[in-house]
Amino acid sequence: MVESISHSEFLNRAEQQVEEQLKEVISVFQNLPEDQLISNNNGGWGIAECFDHLNSYADFYLPRLRKSLEKMPPLKGQTTFKHSFLGSYFIKAMDHQQTKKKYKAMRKHRPTIINNPYAVVSMFIQHLEELQKIILQANQKNLMKASVSTSISPFVKINVGDAIQFVLTHNRRHIEQARRNIHSAMNTD
């Protein structure tokens, strides 16, 4: 993952990932019956709980990304983007295709009691739309020249590009988890 790619290619890939996630959440999850959104058929989190967890991460990262964008220097000329060592580590740790390791969510990011699962899914869609805007604004900024605190500690920071990719990879991990709930419910009916 430490390969260098052009700044624009990195952002194009990120934008494509957000689009794919938006399409999937809207077409697959948005209109599921309420009982399916809140049921927990596989022993882990239910669908709405997965999205509630992702919303807590978005509530943490999106404001920090917006703030960093404001401070970032403009992009000068054709530049490349390269993930940092620490950013690569965090992204790889969240990538469900590279590791099957399960992590226990920090208390502040654990799902809460969900009274309105549709509102939870809707909020996640809004977060994805906000991430889209952030990526568009990042087109003229040098992603490696500003950092974002991680949810682990305010002292552990990664560059803005790493943070964007981490959020997208973490989203994908839990969207897949939510999808497994759909398949699990279909097999138990």
Side-chain angles (χ1 to χ4, degrees):
M1 176 168 305
V2 286
E3 87 224 31
S4 291
I5 62 172
S6 77
H7 177 268
S8 61
E9 178 63 25
F10 171 76
L11 288 174
N12 286 341
R13 288 180 188 180
E15 191 174 356
Q16 183 179 12
Q17 289 175 59
V18 174
E19 280 293 324
E20 290 169 2
Q21 291 176 11
L22 261 173
K23 285 178 187 174
E24 182 171 5
V25 173
I26 291 168
S27 67
V28 175
F29 299 103
Q30 185 176 23
N31 296 313
L32 285 174
E34 184 173 348
D35 62 328
Q36 197 170 3
L37 286 171
I38 59 175
S39 70
N40 183 347
N41 295 314
N42 65 6
W45 292 337
I47 294 168
E49 290 172 314
C50 291
F51 290 116
D52 190 54
H53 171 70
L54 291 175
N55 285 338
S56 77
Y57 269 84
D59 288 339
F60 179 86
Y61 280 101
L62 296 182
R64 285 163 177 79
L65 285 166
R66 281 192 302 272
K67 188 175 180 180
S68 288
L69 271 175
E70 293 170 5
K71 298 178 186 176
M72 291 169 66
L75 189 64
K76 294 183 180 172
Q78 179 66 18
T79 64
T80 58
F81 176 78
K82 185 175 182 179
H83 289 287
S84 68
F85 174 78
L86 190 58
S88 293
Y89 174 79
F90 287 139
I91 294 164
K92 185 177 180 183
M94 278 301 118
D95 190 342
H96 71 282
Q97 294 176 336
Q98 293 191 34
T99 182
K100 300 298 179 200
K101 184 175 179 180
K102 293 185 178 190
Y103 297 96
K104 189 170 183 167
M106 292 186 301
R107 184 170 303 185
K108 63 184 175 184
H109 293 296
R110 290 184 191 148
T112 59
I113 295 172
I114 297 170
N115 297 317
N116 185 344
Y118 293 113
V120 172
V121 175
S122 177
M123 179 58 66
F124 183 65
I125 291 168
Q126 290 174 33
H127 284 140
L128 286 174
E129 290 169 343
E130 179 64 26
L131 185 56
Q132 251 181 339
K133 291 176 188 173
I134 288 169
I135 291 168
L136 288 174
Q137 292 171 347
N139 271 317
Q140 300 304 314
K141 302 287 185 167
N142 191 330
L143 301 176
M144 298 187 307
K145 295 293 184 185
S147 60
V148 175
S149 297
T150 64
S151 60
I152 294 170
S153 166
F155 305 109
V156 178
K157 297 182 179 198
I158 55 178
N159 70 47
V160 171
D162 289 341
I164 289 170
Q165 189 59 56
F166 173 81
V167 169
L168 288 167
T169 304
H170 185 244
N171 286 353
R172 173 56 42 209
R173 180 182 187 94
H174 291 290
I175 290 170
E176 288 297 324
Q177 181 182 8
R179 187 179 277 283
R180 286 192 302 272
N181 269 289
I182 294 173
H183 295 303
S184 177
M186 293 170 116
N187 293 333
T188 59
D189 289 342

